[in-house]
Structure formats: C-alpha cells, structure tokens
Amino acid sequence: MPLTNRKKFDALTGLRCIAACMIFVYHNRKYWRAHYPHFLIQIFNEFYIGVSIFFVLSGFLIAYNYNKVNVRSGSEYFTYLLKRIGRIFPVYWLVLTAYYLDPKFGDFEFDPFIYTLLHGFSERHNLDAIAQAWSLTVEMTFYFFAPFMLFLINKKLSCVFYFLLAILGVFWGIGLALHHCPLAGYSVLYPFDFLLTGTFAGQSALFLFGMLLARYFEDPRPGIIGILNNFKYKTLLGLIVLLAIILLLTTFQKNLLDQSNTHPLGILIQLTLLPAAIVVFIWGLIDERTIINRFLSSRIMMLLGNASFAFYLVHISYVNLKLKKIVLLPDRNFVLLWLISIAIYLVFEKPVYGFIKRLVA
C-alpha cells in the first residue's frame, strides 16, 4: 500500500523507545547475572539488536523522507546533510562537552576527532569518551551515502548491492593499508571483524533493508513482497520471528559472557534474517491497527521515543556515571535517566533542531 499521504509514523517513534530500553538492558545485564535465570541473561546478551532496530528504522525513514534528494545538485545534498548533522551533533556535543569540562573525566583534553565522530572508525578509539557514540559514526556515514544509495535503488536495484560491496572493499583496503603503514598513528577500519560489526561498511545491510521497504511503498510490485502485503498479521508475524531469531542467536553463546555477534554465523544472521524480521514488524506497525500499534502510538511512548536519542547518549558512560555518584536506585537509575532524557529533549534537543531546520530552510 503506497504511503503517499502519510508523513508521520507514530508507532515507529514508540518503537525507538523499545529499542533504547533493549540497549539499556544489554549494557546492564552484567549486574543481573547472579540474580536472574541463565536463559534470561542469554536473551539479554542479544539485546544489542536494539541498535539494529535503530539502523533499520533509520534506513526506512531516510528513504521515505529524502527519496527526492538530487545528488547531482550540490545545494540539495548539502541542505540534506545539514539537517542530518543538526539532528545528531547538538545533543552529542552537549553531552561530550560536559564530559570534557569535568576534571574527573575529560579533564579539558578536547579531542577534535571525537567531536567529529571520526574516532568511530578506529577499533582502538571508537569507545573513547561517550562509548555508545560509535554507532553515531555508523549513522552519519549512512547519512553521507544514503542519497547515492537511493539514486541507485531508483535506477536499478542490483546497482546498490555492487555499490555497498565496493564500499566494503574500499574500507577494507584503506584499513589494510593504514594498518601496515609505519607512518600511521593508529589503524582504522581494521581488523575485519570490527569492519563488519562496528562500521557502516559492515552494517549497511541493516539500513538497506529499511530503505527497500520504503522503496516498495513508493513503487509496489508483485512477488513475495506483494503477497506479504495482503497478509493481515504482519505485526504478529514480525514479532514472532524476531523473538525466534533472538532465541536462535542465544545458541551461539559459549557462556554467559558471550554473544552471537562474535561468531561468523551469528553475524550473518544479524545482517540478513534479523533485519528482514524487523522490516516485517515495521511494515505491520505502519499498515495495521493493533494493540501493539496503539501502545507504541500512545502519548507516553511518543514522548519516550522522541527522547530516546538523548536516553541513548546518557544511559551509559559520562552522565550515567555522574548520576551513580549521587544516587543508584535498584532499577540502575532507569527511570531517572529517562527523566533526564525527556528534559534534554524538551529543553534542548527539540528547540535546537527546530531552529536548525528553519535556518537551513
């Protein structure tokens, strides 16, 4: 079903909250190993897929909202990039600057590579300062390439696959060259497992799945996807398959300290079956009016979804560590961190991004 008249997807905003909560649980699971059954910890070990959900969502929303960006027009492309920079960097810079201004953390040793997210291309430094910002490097790289990917998808679908393979090859070539270069200060885009799990070159399939869903809505075609369009229980199907994939991923764990994306087959599943299931679930949230849709579209879930980016930036690393010095509640400050995130969103993120959009326009 084409979505030409729809501009907002409330349930998808609520889904961002769920993804952020999954990542919070994933990062705090080590504190619960002695208190919860092993099978539950095994499931928590796979909740890093909350980041995968964010990437697929990003692919869909960018493709849907910016499908008409003309890559041959420098001004259009530059305007698009400015909006994307305005979406990511202000809140990131706010948290990062607070980190550097704190003598017990950054101690005024400002690093331009961390401010520009370039440190995310290095396995050695991608967790420096605000550790979770590694995924922002992946996100910003996607924003850079997204209009070109959309251009190729609209021209000939097979071309985008060659394009992404070329990016993977070029990134790996750069990584190898710098790794073996004696003049390089430290290696980037190396080793290959880091390239696969920590950079856009390896994670591009997640964004592509979301983009292809948006493309289908713009140009519905027959086939397997067309048959699925008439299926009435896409939300339920997507959710069931998602849960089944999480359980499947737990079978790769060698112990409670392990997770599936340290194993080649686990990575393959994470880059193929997982985004396919996420796409079906997202499709259902858009297409069907279900209990899940109504819950994710509720006012509270919309607010939390909008504040999820701020929550992602404060739930571990600097802000969380500072908060723990003041108070540590049994929920690992889960509620307090959400309250801080909502305040950041309402007082800073929303008005600043609104100002940037008006300025760019």
Side-chain angles (χ1 to χ4, degrees):
M1 182 180 72
L3 297 177
T4 51
N5 295 322
R6 296 190 187 180
K7 294 183 180 180
K8 290 184 64 178
F9 309 104
D10 292 346
L12 301 191
T13 301
L15 181 59
R16 289 168 53 193
C17 169
I18 301 299
C21 290
M22 292 176 70
I23 298 167
F24 176 87
V25 171
Y26 168 75
H27 282 135
N28 285 276
R29 71 198 188 285
K30 59 186 176 182
Y31 302 110
W32 302 325
R33 288 190 184 116
H35 307 288
Y36 290 96
H38 284 186
F39 81 90
L40 197 56
I41 299 301
Q42 286 182 300
I43 291 174
F44 291 166
N45 285 343
E46 303 303 325
F47 272 18
Y48 67 85
I49 69 167
V51 174
S52 302
I53 293 173
F54 275 124
F55 287 167
V56 176
L57 273 173
S58 183
F60 172 77
L61 293 171
I62 290 297
Y64 179 71
N65 291 316
Y66 293 98
N67 186 47
K68 302 303 180 183
V69 172
N70 183 5
V71 293
R72 297 171 181 171
S73 169
S75 61
E76 276 193 44
Y77 181 70
F78 185 63
T79 299
Y80 153 81
L81 274 185
L82 283 179
K83 288 182 180 179
R84 293 298 87 207
I85 290 170
R87 179 68 183 89
I88 294 293
F89 277 98
V91 183
Y92 171 60
W93 283 340
L94 175 70
V95 177
L96 183 61
T97 302
Y99 165 85
Y100 278 119
L101 291 177
D102 194 321
K104 294 184 179 180
F105 286 86
D107 196 23
F108 300 93
E109 296 180 2
F110 299 93
D111 188 332
F113 284 97
I114 295 179
Y115 267 89
T116 55
L117 292 173
L118 292 175
H119 72 297
F121 292 109
S122 167
E123 183 191 37
R124 180 179 173 185
H125 294 282
N126 72 324
L127 301 181
D128 289 354
I130 311 301
Q132 60 272 37
W134 71 267
S135 67
L136 302 188
T137 302
V138 178
E139 188 82 12
M140 285 305 304
T141 310
F142 164 65
Y143 292 158
F144 179 83
F145 287 116
F148 302 98
M149 294 170 65
L150 286 167
F151 175 78
L152 293 174
I153 289 172
N154 291 330
K155 285 291 183 181
K156 190 176 181 181
L157 185 58
S158 61
C159 291
V160 76
F161 294 103
Y162 297 127
F163 179 70
L164 295 178
L165 283 174
I167 290 175
L168 181 63
V170 170
F171 276 35
W172 179 230
I174 293 172
L176 280 175
L178 292 177
H179 179 71
H180 294 289
C181 177
L183 299 178
Y186 55 84
S187 62
V188 299
L189 303 173
Y190 187 91
F192 191 71
D193 59 346
F194 166 70
L195 190 70
L196 279 182
T197 60
T199 73
F200 169 74
Q203 297 290 294
S204 60
L206 298 168
F207 297 98
L208 181 59
F209 269 91
M211 296 178 86
L212 292 178
L213 177 62
R215 174 58 181 157
Y216 175 77
F217 284 135
E218 293 293 330
D219 183 17
R221 298 181 182 184
I224 296 176
I225 298 181
I227 294 172
L228 186 59
N229 185 41
N230 298 319
F231 187 72
K232 295 182 179 180
Y233 304 101
K234 290 186 285 289
T235 308
L236 182 61
L237 175 64
L239 182 59
I240 291 173
V241 176
L242 262 175
L243 295 175
I245 290 174
I246 292 174
L247 292 176
L248 174 62
L249 291 175
T250 64
T251 63
F252 294 97
Q253 298 173 21
K254 295 179 179 179
N255 51 58
L256 291 184
L257 303 178
D258 197 12
Q259 58 193 59
S260 64
N261 65 350
T262 61
H263 305 273
L265 189 53
I267 294 174
L268 181 62
I269 292 172
Q270 186 242 340
L271 294 176
T272 54
L273 297 180
L274 177 64
I278 295 171
V279 159
V280 174
F281 185 61
I282 290 174
W283 195 347
L285 291 178
I286 293 171
D287 231 11
E288 301 168 348
R289 188 65 176 168
T290 63
I291 294 175
I292 297 174
N293 177 286
R294 288 195 291 271
F295 169 69
L296 293 178
S297 302
S298 63
R299 287 188 177 182
I300 182 63
M301 291 303 293
M302 285 283 291
L303 176 61
L304 294 175
N306 284 321
S308 62
F309 178 53
F311 181 81
Y312 181 71
L313 287 176
V314 305
H315 82 282
I316 57 169
S317 295
Y318 175 66
V319 176
N320 185 36
L321 292 174
K322 289 292 289 186
L323 186 60
K324 285 180 180 177
K325 291 180 180 294
I326 302 171
V327 60
L328 179 58
L329 299 176
D331 64 352
R332 309 299 306 179
N333 290 338
F334 177 75
V335 174
L336 280 178
L337 287 166
W338 269 115
L339 292 175
I340 291 171
S341 304
I342 291 170
I344 292 174
Y345 168 70
L346 293 176
V347 175
F348 182 81
E349 180 182 355
K350 184 178 179 179
V352 169
Y353 183 50
F355 170 77
I356 291 173
K357 285 199 298 184
R358 291 192 298 272
L359 191 65
V360 170

